[in-house]
Amino acid sequence: MSAAARPKSSLLPIAARTAGALAGVLALTAGTYVLRNTTYARLDRARAERAGFTLRTTMINGHGIRFAEGPDVGPALVLLPGQVSDLWNYARVMRDLSRDFHVYVVDIPGHGGSEHDPELYSGAVLGELFADFIAGVVGEQAIVSGHSSGGLIAAWLAASRPEVVAALVLEDPPFFSSVLPAAEKTANHVDLATTAHAYLAQHSPDSGPPGQPGPPAADPSAADQPAADPSEADPRAADFVAFYAEHTPMLDIFGDLGPRMRAQALAQRAADPARPVRWALMPPVLYEYFRGMGDYDPRFGQAFFDGSFHDHFDHALTLAAISTPTLLIHCNWFRDEDGVLMAAMSGEDAEQARDLIPDVRFERVDSGHSFHFEHPRRYARLLRGFAADTVGEVDLLD
């Protein structure tokens, strides 16, 4: 063997060891990534509970509302989640916010542990309901922060019941874009609302499908009803989550992986419909969507499909009537090749909303739709700074 060949051959075991080490690092990194994706919800909730948050239920105007309340350390802050999300969607920011605010996080009716009643699924009705929640449970003016459809509810609340609102935060709400006919060219309508409509066309909206939550135990007669047996029906026909996983166009963006992901989701729902759908390599923001969907009433989606969510709720008039200091947060947006808005608001929608609100601070953030979930520290810092600039003494409510 020549002298020139020896160094080359001596590098082989070094290269092999390096490749092995890199493979180990990659495997460890991948394992950490998967572990984070599959445990984040439990860990986020545990941190919130250690910070002093407790779950409570109350009756507001005869309707059961579940909420989490943090320690009483500052001005009241009420958080209204967006569509498909329950109150634990805020878990990763609850501990941080609880250092400066008396935080209340609610389940919107049709979500989580609050009542599932389609008579409540409009912005005006829900706005009135949570205004009465603030008056009856919080007992003082509150900073109200709403995400997505929760932002629509918050806007109606602030415009119609300003006596209960000290300041308003609107986190990427779908102003104008969610109103028909414009809504037909949005991702929410093409995906969730249309899928909910198709599901309800095949299943009775009154009986409630197996595997879905029924009305809360606040209704004693409902609590005594026997649960349907999921084993007696095809899970795709019995379970909205499975139906959604099978029919959503969202999974098409994953190309050849899409059919495999659908099959995995259906198999998981058939085996254990109480657990959220999970894909090991999917990021938490996608997990979170399916986690919240387990306790989601598709009739809420129907209210956006047919436009009834906006009954007696004109966006322009509502925004112009808001008298409290307001922070409007606008996240990233774009339109796909078919002109479908893949976001809550376009730039034009956000500018129109900004121009209509009398006392507004506008923040354009580089984030997906769930800013508080994807960037909890930035969200908390932005909210804290806004509150410090705008909220002084708050009024106690009789």
Side-chain angles (χ1 to χ4, degrees):
M1 182 177 293
S2 68
R6 289 191 195 99
K8 185 175 181 180
S9 62
S10 66
L11 290 176
L12 291 177
I14 298 175
R17 288 196 299 271
T18 302
L22 287 173
V25 170
L26 290 174
L28 180 61
T29 301
T32 301
Y33 180 77
V34 170
L35 182 64
R36 184 198 66 168
N37 291 353
T38 54
T39 61
Y40 80 90
R42 177 172 54 82
L43 296 176
D44 289 347
R45 177 170 175 170
R47 293 187 189 100
E49 290 173 339
R50 286 197 299 270
F53 281 87
T54 57
L55 280 178
R56 297 176 56 191
T57 57
T58 188
M59 298 295 290
I60 303 295
N61 303 335
H63 302 290
I65 301 296
R66 185 180 76 162
F67 65 99
E69 180 180 0
D72 184 359
V73 297
L77 170 64
V78 175
L79 303 175
L80 305 180
Q83 189 172 186
V84 184
S85 300
D86 66 3
L87 62 86
W88 295 116
N89 181 253
Y90 280 100
R92 57 180 48 184
V93 76
M94 286 161 68
R95 180 176 64 175
D96 194 356
L97 292 175
S98 70
R99 297 187 179 108
D100 298 283
F101 303 99
H102 187 180
V103 181
Y104 297 81
V105 196
V106 303
D107 278 335
I108 304 296
H111 302 73
S114 287
E115 187 163 334
H116 288 199
D117 180 356
E119 295 297 320
L120 300 176
Y121 302 163
S122 77
V125 172
L126 290 168
E128 190 69 29
L129 185 75
F130 284 110
D132 289 341
F133 172 87
I134 295 172
V137 176
V138 179
E140 65 182 64
Q141 284 184 315
I143 303 163
V144 179
S145 179
H147 171 238
S148 195
S149 59
L152 298 179
I153 298 166
W156 192 97
L157 190 165
S160 302
R161 296 283 299 276
E163 75 278 4
V164 303
V165 182
L168 179 65
V169 180
L170 303 173
E171 182 193 350
D172 211 31
F175 287 125
F176 311 111
S177 62
S178 59
V179 180
L180 294 169
E184 294 175 351
K185 296 291 283 185
T186 64
N188 180 72
H189 189 91
V190 170
D191 183 40
L192 179 63
T194 297
T195 307
H197 174 73
Y199 174 83
L200 293 170
Q202 297 185 27
H203 308 288
S204 167
D206 298 317
S207 60
Q212 289 288 99
D219 179 359
S221 64
D224 294 334
Q225 296 298 317
D229 183 357
S231 65
E232 295 178 356
D234 185 324
R236 292 171 296 180
D239 179 0
F240 176 67
V241 178
F243 186 92
Y244 177 83
E246 185 173 27
H247 295 281
T248 175
M250 180 180 69
L251 295 183
D252 294 340
I253 66 175
F254 294 98
D256 294 340
L257 284 176
R260 186 185 310 172
M261 294 171 69
R262 294 183 199 277
Q264 290 174 347
L266 293 173
Q268 290 173 24
R269 295 301 291 182
D272 187 358
R275 292 189 64 185
V277 171
R278 56 210 177 276
W279 296 289
L281 296 179
M282 291 300 104
V285 68
L286 183 60
Y287 268 108
E288 185 65 6
Y289 191 65
F290 278 88
R291 187 194 64 77
M293 193 176 290
D295 290 329
Y296 170 73
D297 186 348
R299 293 173 293 183
F300 197 95
Q302 172 67 22
F304 280 86
F305 181 86
D306 62 22
S308 58
F309 183 89
H310 295 103
D311 287 351
H312 311 293
F313 182 15
D314 181 283
H315 287 193
L317 292 177
T318 297
L319 292 170
I322 296 172
S323 58
T324 55
T326 301
L327 171 63
L328 176 61
I329 300 171
H330 186 212
C331 298
N332 295 337
W333 69 279
F334 69 96
R335 295 186 187 274
D336 69 7
E337 62 274 11
D338 298 318
V340 174
L341 178 62
M342 306 300 289
M345 286 189 294
S346 68
E348 295 84 357
D349 295 329
E351 282 301 317
Q352 185 178 358
R354 179 182 184 178
D355 290 342
L356 285 165
I357 302 171
D359 183 5
V360 66
R361 176 186 296 182
F362 182 78
E363 290 287 343
R364 176 70 174 84
V365 297
D366 183 12
S367 171
H369 181 48
S370 296
F371 177 52
H372 69 273
F373 183 85
E374 298 174 46
H375 303 283
R377 292 181 180 175
R378 288 169 53 195
Y379 169 82
R381 185 166 58 248
L382 195 59
L383 195 153
R384 189 178 290 113
F386 170 69
D389 291 343
T390 58
V391 179
E393 295 294 323
V394 298
D395 295 332
L396 299 179
L397 304 172
D398 294 331

Coordinates of all heavy atoms in Angstrom, one line a residue, residues 185-244:
K185 N -64.2 32.3 0.4 CA -62.8 32.2 -0.1 C -61.8 32.3 1.0 O -60.7 32.9 0.9 CB -62.6 33.3 -1.1 CG -63.4 33.2 -2.3 CD -63.0 32.1 -3.2 CE -61.8 32.4 -4.0 NZ -61.4 31.3 -5.0
T186 N -62.1 31.6 2.2 CA -61.2 31.6 3.3 C -60.9 30.1 3.7 O -61.7 29.2 3.4 CB -61.7 32.3 4.5 OG1 -62.9 31.7 5.0 CG2 -62.1 33.8 4.2
A187 N -59.8 29.9 4.3 CA -59.4 28.5 4.7 C -60.4 28.0 5.7 O -60.7 26.8 5.6 CB -58.0 28.6 5.3
N188 N -60.9 28.8 6.6 CA -61.8 28.3 7.6 C -63.1 27.7 6.9 O -63.6 26.7 7.3 CB -62.2 29.3 8.6 CG -63.2 28.8 9.7 OD1 -62.8 28.0 10.5 ND2 -64.4 29.2 9.6
H189 N -63.6 28.5 6.0 CA -64.8 28.0 5.3 C -64.6 26.8 4.5 O -65.4 25.8 4.5 CB -65.4 29.2 4.5 CG -66.8 28.9 3.9 ND1 -67.9 29.3 4.6 CD2 -67.2 28.2 2.8 CE1 -69.0 28.9 3.9 NE2 -68.6 28.3 2.8
V190 N -63.5 26.8 3.7 CA -63.2 25.7 2.8 C -63.0 24.4 3.6 O -63.3 23.3 3.2 CB -62.0 26.0 1.9 CG1 -61.5 24.8 1.1 CG2 -62.4 27.2 0.9
D191 N -62.4 24.6 4.8 CA -61.9 23.4 5.5 C -62.9 23.1 6.7 O -63.9 22.3 6.5 CB -60.6 23.7 6.1 CG -60.0 22.5 6.9 OD1 -60.2 21.3 6.5 OD2 -59.4 22.7 7.9
L192 N -62.8 23.8 7.8 CA -63.6 23.4 9.0 C -65.1 23.6 8.8 O -65.9 22.7 9.1 CB -63.1 24.2 10.2 CG -63.8 23.9 11.5 CD1 -63.6 22.5 12.0 CD2 -63.3 24.9 12.6
A193 N -65.5 24.7 8.4 CA -66.9 25.0 8.3 C -67.6 24.1 7.3 O -68.7 23.5 7.6 CB -67.2 26.5 7.9
T194 N -67.0 23.9 6.1 CA -67.6 23.0 5.2 C -67.6 21.5 5.6 O -68.6 20.8 5.4 CB -66.8 23.1 3.8 OG1 -67.0 24.4 3.3 CG2 -67.4 22.1 2.8
T195 N -66.6 21.1 6.3 CA -66.5 19.7 6.8 C -67.6 19.5 7.9 O -68.2 18.5 8.0 CB -65.1 19.4 7.4 OG1 -64.2 19.7 6.3 CG2 -65.0 17.9 7.8
A196 N -67.7 20.5 8.8 CA -68.8 20.5 9.8 C -70.1 20.4 9.2 O -71.0 19.6 9.7 CB -68.7 21.7 10.8
H197 N -70.4 21.2 8.2 CA -71.7 21.1 7.5 C -71.9 19.8 6.9 O -73.0 19.2 7.0 CB -71.7 22.2 6.4 CG -72.9 22.2 5.5 ND1 -74.1 22.6 6.0 CD2 -73.1 21.8 4.2 CE1 -75.0 22.5 5.0 NE2 -74.4 22.0 3.9
A198 N -70.9 19.2 6.2 CA -71.0 17.9 5.6 C -71.3 16.8 6.7 O -72.2 15.9 6.5 CB -69.8 17.5 4.8
Y199 N -70.6 16.9 7.8 CA -70.9 15.9 8.9 C -72.3 16.0 9.4 O -73.0 15.0 9.6 CB -69.9 16.3 10.0 CG -70.1 15.4 11.2 CD1 -69.5 14.1 11.4 CD2 -70.8 15.9 12.3 CE1 -69.7 13.4 12.5 CE2 -71.0 15.1 13.5 CZ -70.5 13.9 13.5 OH -70.7 13.1 14.7
L200 N -72.8 17.2 9.6 CA -74.1 17.4 10.2 C -75.2 17.0 9.2 O -76.3 16.6 9.5 CB -74.3 18.8 10.6 CG -73.5 19.3 11.8 CD1 -73.6 20.8 12.0 CD2 -73.9 18.5 13.1
A201 N -74.9 17.1 7.9 CA -75.8 16.6 6.9 C -76.0 15.1 6.9 O -77.0 14.6 6.5 CB -75.3 17.0 5.5
Q202 N -75.1 14.4 7.5 CA -75.1 12.9 7.6 C -75.6 12.4 9.0 O -75.9 11.3 9.1 CB -73.8 12.3 7.3 CG -73.3 12.6 5.8 CD -72.0 11.8 5.5 OE1 -71.7 10.8 6.1 NE2 -71.2 12.4 4.6
H203 N -75.5 13.3 10.0 CA -75.8 12.9 11.3 C -76.7 13.8 12.0 O -76.7 15.0 11.8 CB -74.5 12.8 12.2 CG -73.5 11.9 11.5 ND1 -73.5 10.6 11.4 CD2 -72.3 12.3 10.9 CE1 -72.5 10.1 10.7 NE2 -71.7 11.1 10.4
S204 N -77.6 13.3 12.9 CA -78.5 14.1 13.6 C -77.8 15.1 14.4 O -77.0 14.8 15.3 CB -79.4 13.3 14.5 OG -80.1 14.1 15.4
P205 N -78.1 16.4 14.3 CA -77.4 17.4 15.1 C -78.0 17.5 16.6 O -77.4 18.1 17.4 CB -77.8 18.8 14.4 CG -79.1 18.5 13.8 CD -79.0 17.1 13.4
D206 N -79.0 16.8 16.8 CA -79.7 16.9 18.2 C -79.3 15.7 19.1 O -79.1 15.9 20.3 CB -81.2 16.9 18.0 CG -81.7 18.1 17.3 OD1 -81.1 19.2 17.5 OD2 -82.6 17.9 16.4
S207 N -79.1 14.5 18.5 CA -78.8 13.4 19.4 C -77.4 13.4 19.9 O -77.1 12.8 20.9 CB -79.1 12.1 18.6 OG -78.3 12.0 17.5
G208 N -76.4 14.0 19.1 CA -75.0 13.9 19.5 C -74.4 12.6 19.1 O -74.9 11.6 19.5
P209 N -73.3 12.6 18.3 CA -72.7 11.4 17.9 C -71.9 10.7 19.0 O -71.5 11.3 19.9 CB -71.8 11.8 16.8 CG -71.4 13.2 17.2 CD -72.7 13.8 17.8
P210 N -71.8 9.3 18.9 CA -71.0 8.6 19.9 C -69.6 9.2 19.9 O -69.1 9.5 18.8 CB -71.1 7.2 19.4 CG -72.3 7.1 18.6 CD -72.5 8.5 18.0
G211 N -69.0 9.3 21.1 CA -67.6 9.7 21.2 C -67.5 11.2 21.3 O -66.5 11.8 21.6
Q212 N -68.6 12.0 21.1 CA -68.6 13.4 21.3 C -69.2 13.8 22.6 O -70.1 13.1 23.2 CB -69.5 14.1 20.2 CG -68.8 14.0 18.8 CD -67.7 14.9 18.7 OE1 -66.5 14.5 18.8 NE2 -67.9 16.2 18.5
P213 N -68.8 14.9 23.2 CA -69.4 15.3 24.5 C -70.8 15.7 24.4 O -71.2 16.3 23.4 CB -68.5 16.5 24.9 CG -68.0 17.0 23.6 CD -67.8 15.8 22.7
G214 N -71.6 15.4 25.4 CA -73.0 15.8 25.4 C -73.1 17.1 26.2 O -72.1 17.7 26.5
P215 N -74.3 17.5 26.5 CA -74.5 18.7 27.3 C -73.9 18.5 28.7 O -73.7 17.4 29.1 CB -76.0 18.9 27.3 CG -76.6 17.6 27.0 CD -75.6 16.9 26.1
P216 N -73.5 19.6 29.3 CA -72.9 19.5 30.6 C -73.8 19.0 31.7 O -75.0 19.0 31.6 CB -72.5 20.9 31.0 CG -73.4 21.8 30.2 CD -73.8 21.0 29.0
A217 N -73.2 18.5 32.8 CA -74.0 17.9 33.8 C -74.9 18.9 34.6 O -75.7 18.5 35.4 CB -73.1 17.1 34.8
A218 N -74.7 20.2 34.2 CA -75.6 21.2 34.8 C -77.1 21.0 34.5 O -78.0 21.4 35.2 CB -75.2 22.6 34.3
D219 N -77.3 20.2 33.4 CA -78.7 19.8 33.1 C -78.9 18.4 33.7 O -78.4 17.4 33.1 CB -78.8 19.8 31.6 CG -80.2 19.3 31.1 OD1 -81.1 18.9 32.0 OD2 -80.5 19.3 29.9
P220 N -79.6 18.2 34.8 CA -79.6 16.9 35.4 C -80.3 15.9 34.6 O -79.9 14.7 34.6 CB -80.5 17.2 36.7 CG -80.4 18.7 36.9 CD -80.2 19.3 35.5
S221 N -81.2 16.2 33.7 CA -81.9 15.2 32.9 C -80.9 14.7 31.9 O -81.0 13.5 31.5 CB -83.1 15.8 32.2 OG -82.7 16.9 31.3
A222 N -80.0 15.5 31.4 CA -79.0 15.1 30.4 C -78.0 14.2 31.0 O -77.5 13.2 30.4 CB -78.3 16.3 29.7
A223 N -77.6 14.4 32.3 CA -76.6 13.6 32.9 C -77.1 12.2 33.1 O -76.3 11.3 33.2 CB -76.3 14.2 34.3
D224 N -78.4 12.0 33.2 CA -78.9 10.6 33.4 C -79.1 9.8 32.2 O -79.5 8.6 32.2 CB -80.3 10.7 34.1 CG -80.1 11.3 35.5 OD1 -79.1 11.1 36.1 OD2 -81.1 11.9 36.0
Q225 N -78.8 10.4 31.0 CA -79.0 9.7 29.7 C -77.9 8.7 29.5 O -76.7 9.1 29.7 CB -79.1 10.7 28.6 CG -80.3 11.6 28.7 CD -81.6 10.8 28.6 OE1 -81.8 9.9 27.8 NE2 -82.6 11.2 29.5
P226 N -78.2 7.5 29.1 CA -77.1 6.6 28.8 C -76.3 7.0 27.6 O -76.8 7.5 26.6 CB -77.8 5.2 28.5 CG -79.2 5.7 28.1 CD -79.5 6.9 28.8
A227 N -75.0 6.8 27.6 CA -74.1 7.2 26.5 C -74.2 6.1 25.4 O -74.4 5.0 25.7 CB -72.6 7.3 27.0
A228 N -74.2 6.6 24.2 CA -74.2 5.7 23.1 C -72.9 4.9 23.0 O -71.9 5.3 23.5 CB -74.4 6.5 21.7
D229 N -73.0 3.7 22.4 CA -71.9 2.8 22.3 C -71.1 3.0 21.0 O -71.6 2.7 19.9 CB -72.3 1.4 22.4 CG -71.2 0.4 22.4 OD1 -70.0 0.8 22.3 OD2 -71.5 -0.8 22.5
P230 N -69.9 3.6 21.1 CA -69.2 3.8 19.8 C -68.9 2.6 19.0 O -68.7 2.6 17.8 CB -67.9 4.5 20.3 CG -68.1 5.0 21.7 CD -69.2 4.0 22.2
S231 N -68.8 1.4 19.7 CA -68.5 0.2 19.0 C -69.6 -0.2 18.1 O -69.4 -1.1 17.2 CB -68.2 -0.9 20.0 OG -69.4 -1.2 20.7
E232 N -70.8 0.3 18.2 CA -71.9 -0.1 17.4 C -72.0 0.7 16.0 O -72.9 0.5 15.2 CB -73.2 0.2 18.1 CG -73.4 -0.7 19.3 CD -74.6 -0.5 20.1 OE1 -75.4 0.4 19.7 OE2 -74.9 -1.2 21.1
A233 N -71.0 1.6 15.8 CA -71.0 2.4 14.6 C -69.6 2.5 14.1 O -68.6 2.4 14.8 CB -71.6 3.8 14.9
D234 N -69.5 2.7 12.7 CA -68.2 3.0 12.1 C -67.7 4.3 12.8 O -68.4 5.3 12.8 CB -68.4 3.2 10.6 CG -67.1 3.4 9.9 OD1 -66.2 4.1 10.4 OD2 -67.1 3.0 8.7
P235 N -66.5 4.3 13.3 CA -66.0 5.5 13.9 C -66.0 6.7 13.0 O -66.1 7.8 13.5 CB -64.6 5.1 14.4 CG -64.2 4.0 13.5 CD -65.5 3.2 13.3
R236 N -65.8 6.5 11.7 CA -65.9 7.7 10.8 C -67.3 8.3 10.8 O -67.4 9.5 10.5 CB -65.4 7.2 9.4 CG -64.0 6.8 9.3 CD -63.6 6.2 8.0 NE -64.3 4.9 7.8 CZ -64.2 4.2 6.7 NH1 -63.5 4.6 5.7 NH2 -64.9 3.1 6.6
A237 N -68.3 7.5 11.0 CA -69.6 8.0 11.0 C -70.1 8.5 12.4 O -71.0 9.2 12.5 CB -70.6 6.9 10.5
A238 N -69.3 8.0 13.4 CA -69.7 8.3 14.8 C -69.0 9.4 15.4 O -69.4 9.9 16.5 CB -69.6 7.0 15.6
D239 N -67.9 9.9 14.8 CA -66.9 10.7 15.5 C -66.6 11.9 14.6 O -66.0 11.6 13.5 CB -65.7 9.9 15.9 CG -64.6 10.6 16.5 OD1 -64.8 11.9 16.8 OD2 -63.6 10.0 16.9
F240 N -66.8 13.1 15.0 CA -66.5 14.2 14.1 C -65.0 14.3 13.8 O -64.6 14.7 12.7 CB -67.0 15.6 14.7 CG -66.6 16.8 13.9 CD1 -67.1 16.9 12.6 CD2 -65.7 17.7 14.4 CE1 -66.7 18.0 11.8 CE2 -65.3 18.8 13.6 CZ -65.8 19.0 12.3
V241 N -64.2 14.0 14.8 CA -62.7 14.1 14.7 C -62.3 13.2 13.5 O -61.5 13.6 12.7 CB -62.0 13.8 16.0 CG1 -60.5 13.9 15.7 CG2 -62.4 14.8 17.1
A242 N -62.8 11.9 13.6 CA -62.5 11.0 12.5 C -63.0 11.4 11.2 O -62.3 11.3 10.1 CB -63.0 9.6 12.9
F243 N -64.2 12.0 11.2 CA -64.8 12.5 9.9 C -64.0 13.6 9.4 O -63.7 13.7 8.2 CB -66.3 12.9 10.2 CG -67.0 13.3 9.0 CD1 -67.8 12.4 8.3 CD2 -66.9 14.6 8.5 CE1 -68.5 12.8 7.1 CE2 -67.6 15.0 7.3 CZ -68.4 14.1 6.7
Y244 N -63.6 14.5 10.2 CA -62.7 15.6 9.8 C -61.4 15.1 9.2 O -60.9 15.5 8.2 CB -62.5 16.6 11.0 CG -61.6 17.7 10.6 CD1 -62.1 18.8 10.0 CD2 -60.2 17.7 10.9 CE1 -61.2 19.9 9.6 CE2 -59.4 18.7 10.5 CZ -59.9 19.8 9.9 OH -59.1 20.8 9.5

